[in-house]
Amino acid sequence: MDFKNRKRNIVLFYIGILVSINFIYGAALKTDEDVFDRINRNFDIFGKVYKEVSLNYVDNLDVDKFMRAGIEGMLGTLDPYTVYYDENNRNEIELITSGKYGGIGITIELRDSIVFVSDVLTGYEAEKKGLRHGDKITEIDGISLNGMKLENIRRMVRGQPGSALRFKVERGGDIINFELTRQEIILKNIPFYGYIGEESDGIAYIKLDRFTNTSENEVENALKTFKTNGNLKGVVFDLRNNGGGLLEAAIGILNKFVARNSLLLITKGREKNSENKFFSKQDPLIPNEIPLVVLINKNTASASEIVSGAIQDLDRGVIIGSRSFGKGLVQQIRDLSYGSKLKITMQRYFTPSGRWIQEKNYFKENKFGVFSNIEGFNQTSFKTLNGRIVKANGGISPDIEIKPEEESEIYYALYQKDMFFKFANYFLAKNPGIKSFSITDDIFNDFKEFIKSEGFDFQSEADKKIEDLKLIADKKNYANEYYEFLVRLKDDLQREEAKEIDKTSDEIKYAIEREINKRILDEDERVKASLRNDKAIIEAIRIIKTPSEYNSLLNK
């Protein structure tokens, strides 16, 4: 095939994708001939521009990437949840729907533009080849990650099982190269469930991390286990850091907790007749007499908010934590041409009381002006089944607020210098084969001596301000008395900084315990260990064990 024919076929391939998109919208817009004509006219212009530039631009273009940039630019004028996936990114769809994806078994995070390995899954490629929590990834397949968005880095890590990738990692000042092979990663929807508190309390705990096509069955099996064991006196359902997933899974899980025929959710699309109401269709596994607490935080989103919003509006349980993310939009996945897919926002959802909990109104605040009619949702106060006032001010507001604690300066400095990671290595080398770990004052003192031996020097924000003042003094040629004042100020500051680690000892101790437990415990044991000092868990247990307060919160 000659070069021009190959380019023509590629052009036709991507025009096929646009035809598919046009078909989706065309079916909905046939009643509006003016809009339909404008779509056809713009489609014709877009296709000609793409073809003209692809064939005649002064430099050769990668016409695949050029089209991808055009599609992403177009979708970028909408909300961030409307996303195009070509045949190379179908992994993302598999992850949303089934909790499976092609990868190496790591979780990554971005701190100060540095990519860290934040977790390594047991039994997968990353662990087998020696990647560790705390490793800094600098390159993937020879491409520097400097300045790259976290989502784009995740896409680079994921791919077809069996495909290879190369990592360049910085660890303790050394550069290490890894040759890795992607495999199918199957994420646990429920990393842990079991009883919490005292054994006699009978309080069940379920941690759900995502809503996939198996989540409902997994939650049901956990609840049946608790019921079979007997002595069930309360349930804590943990949706913290659960970013959501499938709407159908959320509806299915709600059926396990609320009375038959309860209104669970309302969805509305662009057409006036598109409203859809979802009701519970079965008797609950956990009857209303058994107290329920749902835990949420700022990363509780989408399907998690559908569940927590319905539980709150129906006065079925108490919500504890901090305000949720605020995503009141529903996406559907549409098949396009040649294995590509479009995840498109097609509906808003409303909790049973009528709340639209969307935090950021992309439709009203859109700077590109692509939305022609901005529907207002101005009502902010709503009533639950028992008459409690609830708000629609972005996200689900908890019934009992547990304010998240901000990381201290010294914790962040220790984390950035890999002190927790290095101390875990040091401690486990001294104590090989330990099966469980709880920190003591002696171990904490050992940690303080260790970081001193590592040359850890805590530079606070105040230190930096003093250095800035000194630079100003140098430029202005200030008198000696001013420099003497800065020296005294720095001495006082250093005395205070020496006490800082003891002032934040609880935070530092917890970080040490968490780091060491990552090495010696499996996932469900790690979750269980993390609950011991969890303020939201402690409060949930207290509320369940205090029926009068529980009922008072729900106006029962």
Side-chain angles (χ1 to χ4, degrees):
M1 183 185 294
D2 62 32
F3 179 72
K4 283 192 174 181
N5 283 337
R6 185 173 68 85
K7 279 203 166 184
R8 183 169 60 253
N9 286 342
I10 292 172
V11 170
L12 290 173
F13 170 86
Y14 282 98
I15 286 177
I17 293 175
L18 291 176
V19 169
S20 299
I21 296 172
N22 187 34
F23 176 77
I24 291 169
Y25 287 105
L29 297 171
K30 284 181 181 177
T31 57
D32 190 336
E33 292 300 329
D34 177 56
V35 172
F36 193 59
D37 287 344
R38 285 159 59 196
I39 288 175
N40 282 330
R41 183 173 70 249
N42 290 326
F43 175 72
D44 182 53
I45 293 169
F46 184 90
K48 287 178 177 176
V49 169
Y50 173 71
K51 180 179 179 181
E52 188 69 28
V53 174
S54 296
L55 294 176
N56 297 314
Y57 189 72
V58 63
D59 283 326
N60 286 332
L61 301 178
D62 183 320
V63 292
D64 294 1
K65 291 181 179 177
F66 185 44
M67 174 55 78
R68 175 83 191 226
I71 293 173
E72 289 183 352
M74 179 171 60
L75 299 183
T77 65
L78 308 176
D79 64 271
Y81 312 114
T82 298
V83 181
Y84 166 71
Y85 299 97
D86 63 22
E87 69 277 12
N88 297 317
N89 289 292
R90 283 177 291 176
N91 255 301
E92 303 295 325
I93 301 295
E94 184 76 2
L95 177 59
I96 294 168
T97 57
S98 67
K100 301 176 184 177
Y101 68 97
I104 57 171
I106 61 169
T107 304
I108 58 174
E109 64 180 24
L110 201 60
R111 284 186 176 232
D112 290 344
S113 301
I114 299 171
V115 184
F116 288 92
V117 176
S118 57
D119 198 11
V120 180
L121 301 183
T122 302
Y124 291 108
E125 177 77 352
E127 184 200 37
K128 292 174 182 176
K129 291 292 178 66
L131 274 168
R132 298 178 187 171
H133 168 76
D135 282 347
K136 300 173 186 176
I137 308 170
T138 58
E139 290 183 11
I140 297 177
D141 287 336
I143 299 171
S144 171
L145 306 185
N146 187 35
M148 197 175 290
K149 292 181 179 179
L150 186 60
E151 190 55 43
N152 292 335
I153 298 169
R154 286 197 181 108
R155 287 178 183 171
M156 291 175 70
V157 175
R158 295 170 185 166
Q160 289 299 315
S163 59
L165 76 164
R166 292 175 289 114
F167 269 28
K168 181 174 282 188
V169 163
E170 182 185 332
R171 181 190 298 164
D174 297 326
I175 300 297
I176 309 170
N177 292 299
F178 289 90
E179 300 284 338
L180 303 152
T181 302
R182 296 181 181 93
Q183 59 189 128
E184 184 179 69
I185 309 297
I186 302 174
L187 297 176
K188 289 182 180 179
N189 293 318
I190 299 179
F192 171 76
Y193 71 91
Y195 289 99
I196 54 176
E198 299 296 325
E199 191 173 331
S200 60
D201 292 341
I203 298 175
Y205 172 85
I206 300 175
K207 168 71 173 163
L208 184 69
D209 281 348
R210 63 192 58 80
F211 289 80
T212 71
N213 52 22
T214 62
S215 296
E216 179 185 351
N217 287 337
E218 291 179 46
V219 171
E220 180 175 338
N221 290 337
L223 293 173
K224 284 181 176 178
T225 301
F226 293 129
K227 289 191 71 176
T228 301
N229 291 342
N231 192 38
L232 182 60
K233 297 178 181 177
V235 176
V236 178
F237 194 32
D238 194 345
L239 296 178
R240 291 175 297 178
N241 301 315
N242 184 324
L246 301 181
L247 181 149
E248 294 82 4
I251 297 300
I253 287 169
L254 279 169
N255 271 267
K256 315 304 173 196
F257 293 106
V258 305
R260 184 193 288 265
N261 297 325
S262 298
L263 176 63
L264 305 177
L265 184 73
I266 306 161
T267 61
K268 296 178 183 179
R270 65 187 290 170
E271 303 299 331
K272 291 184 178 179
N273 63 353
S274 64
E275 181 176 290
N276 193 14
K277 293 183 177 180
F278 297 81
F279 293 87
S280 52
K281 297 180 179 179
Q282 57 189 242
D283 293 326
L285 265 177
I286 306 299
N288 196 55
E289 300 78 56
I290 294 179
L292 171 66
V293 169
V294 179
L295 305 183
I296 64 172
N297 65 6
K298 66 179 181 178
N299 297 318
T300 298
S302 190
S304 295
E305 292 174 298
I306 289 174
V307 171
S308 52
I311 295 294
Q312 187 175 58
D313 283 2
L314 298 173
D315 294 304
R316 173 58 187 91
V318 172
I319 312 299
I320 293 179
S322 55
R323 194 174 68 163
S324 64
F325 181 81
K327 179 176 181 286
L329 304 170
V330 179
Q331 289 72 45
Q332 291 184 13
I333 296 170
R334 297 298 188 100
D335 290 327
L336 303 178
S337 304
Y338 304 98
S340 59
K341 295 179 183 290
L342 180 69
K343 179 161 71 76
I344 177 174
T345 298
M346 297 191 70
Q347 296 166 315
R348 294 178 175 90
Y349 77 78
F350 301 81
T351 66
S353 68
R355 288 184 288 170
W356 187 47
I357 55 98
Q358 180 67 24
E359 168 71 15
K360 184 172 177 58
N361 192 339
Y362 299 98
F363 314 102
K364 188 175 181 180
E365 301 171 12
N366 188 274
K367 65 182 178 180
F368 300 100
V370 299
F371 301 112
S372 57
N373 59 326
I374 309 300
E375 186 176 356
F377 297 95
N378 299 317
Q379 193 175 355
T380 57
S381 293
F382 300 82
K383 287 187 177 181
T384 69
L385 203 61
N386 291 342
R388 294 187 298 144
I389 299 296
V390 287
K391 300 289 186 180
N393 54 359
I396 303 296
S397 295
D399 302 311
I400 298 175
E401 185 176 13
I402 305 291
K403 290 185 178 179
E405 294 181 0
E406 293 186 7
E407 294 173 352
S408 64
E409 269 193 280
I410 192 163
Y411 166 85
Y412 188 68
L414 288 164
Y415 180 87
Q416 287 290 85
K417 297 292 185 181
D418 292 332
M419 289 296 114
F420 301 120
F421 180 85
K422 290 176 180 178
F423 180 73
N425 290 345
Y426 159 80
F427 181 84
L428 292 172
K430 283 177 58 180
N431 301 274
I434 66 169
K435 301 298 183 184
S436 62
F437 174 78
S438 293
I439 194 161
T440 63
D441 288 339
D442 286 341
I443 295 172
F444 182 57
N445 290 330
D446 194 14
F447 175 75
K448 289 192 285 187
E449 290 301 318
F450 174 80
I451 63 174
K452 191 183 296 182
S453 70
E454 287 287 315
F456 173 73
D457 181 26
F458 175 47
Q459 294 287 316
S460 69
E461 195 63 33
D463 275 309
K464 296 170 187 173
K465 296 295 183 186
I466 291 175
E467 290 303 314
D468 289 342
L469 289 173
K470 187 175 181 302
L471 289 173
I472 293 170
D474 290 342
K475 286 182 181 179
K476 300 287 187 179
N477 198 24
Y478 284 178
N480 287 336
E481 290 81 5
Y482 185 82
Y483 287 96
E484 290 169 2
F485 165 74
L486 289 181
V487 169
R488 291 195 302 273
L489 185 62
K490 190 167 182 66
D491 288 342
D492 289 342
L493 179 63
Q494 286 177 339
R495 281 191 289 272
E496 287 301 314
E497 287 177 344
K499 305 173 188 174
E500 193 71 21
I501 194 166
D502 290 314
K503 289 179 182 177
T504 59
S505 60
D506 287 345
E507 180 185 22
I508 304 302
K509 285 178 179 178
Y510 179 63
I512 295 167
E513 192 170 291
R514 187 173 62 236
E515 183 65 44
I516 291 176
N517 280 332
K518 277 186 177 180
R519 319 289 183 86
I520 62 175
L521 301 178
D522 59 28
E523 188 176 12
D524 63 336
E525 289 175 326
R526 290 205 307 266
V527 175
K528 189 174 183 179
S530 72
L531 302 180
R532 287 197 296 263
N533 301 311
D534 190 316
K535 291 182 178 179
I537 293 289
I538 294 168
E539 181 65 8
I541 293 171
R542 187 189 71 80
I543 286 294
I544 289 174
K545 292 172 69 174
T546 315
S548 59
E549 187 173 350
Y550 177 87
N551 291 328
S552 175
L553 282 166
L554 300 177
N555 278 359
K556 287 186 175 181

